Amino acid sequence: MVAINSSLPRRQFDVVVVGAGGSGMRCSLQLAQAGLSVAVLSKVFPTRSHTVAAQGGIGASLGNMSEDNWYWHMYDTVKGSDWLGDQDAIEFMCRQAPNAVYELEHFGMPFDRNANGTIYQRPFGGHTANFGEKPVQRACAAADRTGHALLHTLYQRNVAARTQFFVEWMALDLLRNDQGDVVGVTALEMETGEIYILEAKAVVLATGGAGRIWQASTNAFINTGDGLGMAARAGICLQDMEFWQFHPTGVAGAGVLITEGVRGEGGILLNKDGERFMERYAPTLKDLAPRDFVSRSMDQEIKEGRGCGPDGSYVVLKLDHLGADVINKRLPSIREIAIKFGNVDPIKEPIPVVPTIHYQMGGIPANYHGEVVTWENGEEKIVNGLYAIGECAAVSVHGANRLGTNSLLDLVVFGRAAGNRIVESHLERQLAHQDLPKESLDFSLSRVNELESRQSGEKVQDVANSIRMSMQRHCGVFRTLELLNEGVSQIDELAEQAKHVKFDDKSKVFNTARVEALELSNITEVARATIKSAANRTESRGAHALNDHPERDDVNWLKHTLWHSADGRLEYKPVHMKPLTVESFPPKARTF
Ligand SMILES: Cc1cc2nc3c(=O)[nH]c(=O)nc-3n(C[C@H](O)[C@H](O)[C@H](O)COP(=O)(O)OP(=O)(O)OC[C@H]3O[C@@H](n4cnc5c(N)ncnc54)[C@H](O)[C@@H]3O)c2cc1C
């Protein structure tokens, strides 16, 4: 038991960054280099964060292999987002992209090279030249291990800059004072089971995605949406949570990802008749149409009886025609994954694939400086001391659907921007540590105490698995209002159960049962936000495809969803249609 407001161990830092993925470590690097004291917390060793699994590439209009410019990249991103992306943030990201990639190159990131020494770039879904005319080569790649190369590079730079890492530490709750400013976090040191108070002048949430609220997912097991849970419990709304990306090519049955880079290199999708069906759905971009589009087309083929395998439950990805040399040089990990998880050698046979949950477009609302913003009286209001970056944030550059390679890009662009913003305000406002807020501290500690002391109740993993099954069934590639509403009732019931779970092993040292029980509260927050937001949006846009309302409805629904967990309320705010310096791209039909 932890005595409330007792002499819990305390530490003070200028900044606490929760998360050591690409976004967290890009931000901490900026801060440590500016001389601030920075603590980076991570549930796992930094280089095991999910960013390490990113395969295909990072998008930037370098134009090394075909003509390109940031304005085309911006257009593709706005169109890819089905016009729900904020155009100021999108312009900011696409303009910064080339410099962000060159900066990584100068940090020592080992990109693949062209014969003339420039960075190798491959085509990727939805990235085009001249406003949709033809695919462009924009994805800067290190074989099919781009995230691995990026994360290790950033880790090494952080070690050199003397960032302090807290490895196997789990942040539990945000601490907010009476004015609502964020002044620190509570955190569990897994090794000892001790809870600490980490005081900070600024807290950065960089906790990554929450793909583990689904049964079939390409995401790491640690992706349980902790930052979103922390924000929701601290009274901060979550934005656009109905928009989740299904990646077209998860290995059937296993969920492990096969990068879109395979199609970028020339791989094609076939149905059971050996037909390249994407030619019918997207005559111009074919297999390289954006992910929401390809996933729906695959689902359609399977539903209409043209799936492969004994149950007709998947389609196949053929790449043997690329030849062993290309596969071994550009896609070595993909070959390994196909052999280990799909039981096929792609040099000889096609890989069985199905759409699999992959990425959350929604998250904690933030502006393009990384500052968290709430919505009050028709205006965005900054939460002092709180920043959100990476997959847990909704900036929103991805809107209703993210283009491949734009996530690694957003990690480094907004990680750096948030770092700069914190350094500026630190210098300008001479920020000091503030008093610890008793109420907020009591809340966090009593939450943990209650969980620790409960003697009876549901098992943690039973409730977590029921949530995953329910999300998978009720909130899939194609949705109906009936299915969604059933899902809302189920998730509400499971959320009740989650309040009364118990775990038997109360030991302190490396107790993973305790960690899983704490993660469940975050999984529950994210699942509720998702299904409630989805059941209320009566249109189809990007990754939210509703059979009962198959069209996009710009008159009523060109707006961001905001979910308030405390009172179960949804509200809406306008999309930023105005870019920073160029003309706006007005909505139009999305064909490929
Ligand atoms: C298999 C796969 C392949 C992908 N390929 C690409 C690609 O080629 N190109 C692309 O652009 N995007 C790709 N993506 C998406 C992209 O990789 C992710 O969106 C991105 O890496 C997320 O980075 P992040 O910094 O937000 O978080 P992550 O890298 O997920 O890191 C999250 C960090 O937060 C920590 N954390 C979480 N909760 C807590 C807590 N409570 N306390 C302390 N620490 C906590 C974790 O330990 C971890 O360090 C891919 C995603 C997957 C799953």
Side-chain angles (χ1 to χ4, degrees), residues 17-25 41-46 48-59 124 146-147 151 166 169-172 206-209 218-220 222-227 230 247 256-257 259 291 358-359 389-392 402-411 522:
V17 179
V18 184
S23 62
M25 287 210 283
L41 271 56
S42 176
K43 292 197 286 187
V44 294
F45 194 77
R48 299 187 79 103
S49 304
H50 188 65
T51 299
V52 81
Q55 302 172 350
I58 173 167
F124 237 77
T146 312
L151 201 61
F166 287 70
W169 279 61
M170 179 182 187
L172 304 178
T207 52
T218 66
N219 279 203
I222 53 168
N223 286 14
T224 49
D226 297 4
M230 291 167 75
H247 195 293
V256 185
L257 182 77
T259 173
R291 292 178 178 169
H358 183 60
Y359 184 86
I389 49 176
E391 193 170 336
C392 73
R402 171 177 73 91
L403 294 187
T405 77
N406 268 358
S407 170
L408 290 185
L409 177 62
D410 107 44
L411 306 183
N522 300 320

Side-chain angles (χ1 to χ4, degrees), residues 113-136:
R113 298 285 163 181
N114 296 313
N116 64 0
T118 54
I119 293 173
Y120 169 73
Q121 296 186 279
R122 56 167 60 112
F124 237 77
H127 290 279
T128 70
N130 207 13
F131 312 107
E133 205 172 80
K134 56 178 188 217
V136 78

Side-chain angles (χ1 to χ4, degrees), residues 481 533-540 544 546 549 551 553 556-557:
L481 285 180
S533 304
N536 215 48
R537 185 176 279 270
T538 50
E539 65 156 356
S540 289
H544 177 67
L546 209 54
H549 297 269
E551 302 298 327
D553 174 359
N556 296 302
W557 286 105

Side-chain angles (χ1 to χ4, degrees), residues 195-209:
I195 294 183
Y196 280 72
I197 299 166
L198 303 181
E199 293 178 62
K201 299 166 190 169
V203 171
V204 182
L205 294 174
T207 52

Side-chain angles (χ1 to χ4, degrees), residues 89 92-93 368 389 395 397 409-419:
F92 183 85
M93 180 179 79
Y368 62 86
I389 49 176
V395 177
V397 280
L409 177 62
D410 107 44
L411 306 183
V412 289
V413 166
F414 297 110
R416 183 175 187 277

Side-chain angles (χ1 to χ4, degrees), residues 1-10 172 186 193-197 436-450 452-453 508:
M1 289 276 276
V2 192
I4 291 187
N5 243 348
S6 69
S7 51
L8 284 185
R10 292 180 188 191
L172 304 178
T186 50
E194 291 297 331
I195 294 183
Y196 280 72
I197 299 166
L436 275 180
K438 180 172 180 315
E439 214 172 281
S440 169
L441 195 56
D442 288 352
F443 166 77
S444 179
L445 300 182
S446 59
R447 194 169 77 80
V448 180
N449 273 341
E450 211 191 306
E452 297 272 320
S453 52
K508 284 200 132 188

